[in-house]
Amino acid sequence: MPDLENPRAHDPVFALHAGGKMEIASRVALNGPEELSLAYTPGVARVCEAIAAEPALADDYTWVSNTVAIVTDGTAVLGLGDIGAKAAMPVMEGKAVLFKQFGGVDAVPICLDTTDVDEIVETVARLAPSFGGVNLEDISAPRCFEIEDRLKQALDIPVFHDDQHGTAVVVLAALENALRLTDRLMETTRVVVSGAGAAGVAVSRILLAAGITDVSVIDRAGVLASSRGPLNDSKKALAEVTADLTGRTGTLADVMAGADVFIGVSGGTVPEEIVATMASDAIVFGLANPHPEVHPDVAHRHARIVATGRSDFPNQINNVLAFPGIFRGTFDARATAITEGMKLAAADALASIVADVATEELIIPSPFDPRVGPMVAEAVAAAARRDGVARR
């Protein structure tokens, strides 16, 4: 009979999480006094003195150059929302496991018991000497934009908000192959992005950087446009490079009519009658989890290519395709930042893995494709050197 006092006792999900999903392991053997004297006192003092005299040596003689801090305040965890720092830990542990599995990058989850922007920035800045990079995770918008910007200015190590940029890289990679299959060009493709939070802003900006010129971004009140009235800083900046240039205004229905591409990163539901007004051979990416903005069964009635954020449908847009390889390449190049060029290079590398065999149900590789991490890392490291942020 089931354990009525503990219904989790026989749940395989809880069984897997029992005791946490990660541990600290030593890279050196300590089998006797001689090894102890090398790894700790007195030998370690020589390494400390060398780093004190030449701080850059920390990259060579500590774990710093291969270790990222995964930082959250628990305010935007998966589709669960503001569940707090403690409840965010299972996700951050999972992220650390993915970093190691798919990029060979060590990662430490750090769940902060504060939602104050100043306190988060100060805390991460003080922790920075222990890490080679910072991966911001599951921090609500618009606070996440200010936190990332301020940390980039304060630190000389890469700072990367994965909910923004990891999503954007994978979306662009999938879209590159979808456009090839539908014989479209970046510069003549019309895109609607539903959602103006962290992912929506980053997706829109990477599409613009890749050469798409007609992007309409939608929030609850309609198309982001300066003519609509007061907008917060991030929305205003995005409106100036999207609808203010194209002149598009109005509702979702207004801009979906004739659109080539729909990218949903907002939740909610798009009525089928609106999807039906899109251009022929439309492309629909409904990425909300677990309920896409357009269910794949509905999308397939009106679109040629469909992607979701779910693993039980083809074309899963999954951040794990991006962030491990991006940080691997960043660390390999000892880069001081992650540039737009590095993100574009990551997307191109991802797209290239399946470009020659792409079909309507294969526009992005599987995270378990062994080529993903190394190819993304190689492309990112090369871009870091081109962009002048590499230290080796």
Side-chain angles (χ1 to χ4, degrees):
M1 294 181 64
D3 184 346
L4 299 180
E5 294 184 0
N6 182 10
R8 295 182 289 274
H10 305 291
D11 185 325
V13 171
F14 282 89
L16 182 143
H17 283 78
K21 297 192 290 290
M22 56 185 293
E23 64 181 3
I24 299 294
S26 174
R27 295 183 62 207
V28 299
L30 293 177
N31 297 318
E34 183 177 352
E35 289 170 337
L36 182 60
S37 71
L38 293 173
Y40 201 54
T41 185
V44 72
R46 291 169 54 195
V47 181
C48 293
E49 290 171 336
I51 293 172
E54 190 178 343
L57 289 177
D59 287 339
D60 296 317
Y61 295 108
T62 74
W63 79 341
V64 164
S65 62
N66 194 58
T67 306
V68 60
I70 308 174
V71 178
T72 189
D73 63 0
T75 55
V77 181
L78 300 178
L80 304 175
D82 185 354
I83 60 173
K86 281 193 174 182
M89 181 57 85
V91 178
M92 302 309 114
E93 281 188 357
K95 199 86 175 186
V97 171
L98 297 177
F99 264 113
K100 189 68 172 179
Q101 175 74 26
F102 295 108
V105 172
D106 294 311
V108 178
I110 298 173
C111 299
L112 300 179
D113 189 18
T114 178
T115 60
D116 182 83
V117 170
D118 291 337
E119 290 181 353
I120 292 172
V121 170
E122 180 181 6
T123 301
V124 176
R126 292 184 185 279
L127 289 170
S130 297
F131 300 97
V134 175
N135 185 94
L136 300 174
E137 189 76 22
D138 292 351
I139 299 173
S140 62
R143 297 159 50 259
C144 59
F145 304 122
E146 181 181 356
I147 291 168
E148 183 183 33
D149 288 344
R150 287 175 57 181
L151 285 173
K152 284 180 176 178
Q153 293 171 12
L155 303 178
D156 63 353
I157 58 175
V159 178
F160 185 83
H161 185 202
D162 186 53
D163 300 317
Q164 292 185 63
H165 310 301
T167 301
V169 165
V170 183
V171 166
L172 177 57
L175 187 59
E176 287 180 9
N177 284 327
L179 294 182
R180 290 189 191 99
L181 288 170
T182 56
D183 294 319
R184 287 183 167 98
L185 300 175
M186 290 279 185
E187 56 268 26
T188 55
T189 294
R190 186 152 75 83
V191 179
V192 175
V193 176
S194 177
V201 169
V203 166
S204 300
R205 290 199 173 277
I206 203 169
L207 295 183
L208 294 169
I212 292 179
T213 59
D214 193 338
V215 179
S216 300
V217 186
I218 305 287
D219 66 3
R220 291 183 180 88
V223 178
L224 293 189
S226 297
S227 61
R228 200 181 83 185
L231 300 169
N232 66 36
D233 290 345
S234 65
K235 291 183 178 181
K236 185 175 187 300
L238 191 55
E240 290 171 350
V241 293
T242 56
D244 288 4
L245 298 179
T246 63
R248 299 193 187 281
T249 58
T251 65
L252 175 65
D254 293 327
V255 291
M256 282 285 276
D260 301 298
V261 180
F262 170 80
I263 300 171
V265 283
S266 63
T269 301
V270 179
E272 182 171 357
E273 57 267 26
I274 291 180
V275 180
T277 68
M278 295 180 69
S280 299
D281 288 340
I283 299 165
V284 172
F285 290 3
L287 305 183
N289 261 324
H291 304 297
E293 292 85 352
V294 184
H295 191 279
D297 293 342
V298 173
H300 276 298
R301 292 200 281 268
H302 308 284
R304 181 173 168 188
I305 298 176
V306 177
T308 72
R310 291 171 47 154
S311 60
D312 55 345
F313 290 102
N315 298 328
Q316 184 189 21
I317 306 300
N318 191 332
N319 286 18
V320 74
L321 288 163
F323 67 82
I326 289 174
F327 268 96
R328 174 75 277 141
T330 299
F331 286 164
D332 288 347
R334 299 274 174 90
T336 57
I338 297 174
T339 65
E340 288 303 311
M342 292 160 72
K343 298 171 200 171
L344 290 171
D348 289 344
L350 264 181
S352 72
I353 293 171
V354 295
D356 291 340
V357 295
T359 67
E360 283 79 359
E361 295 194 344
L362 181 63
I363 57 172
I364 198 74
S366 162
F368 294 99
D369 187 319
R371 298 171 293 177
V372 169
M375 287 183 67
V376 170
E378 183 179 356
V380 166
R385 296 181 183 104
R386 289 195 302 270
D387 290 349
V389 296
R391 290 179 291 184
R392 74 173 186 186

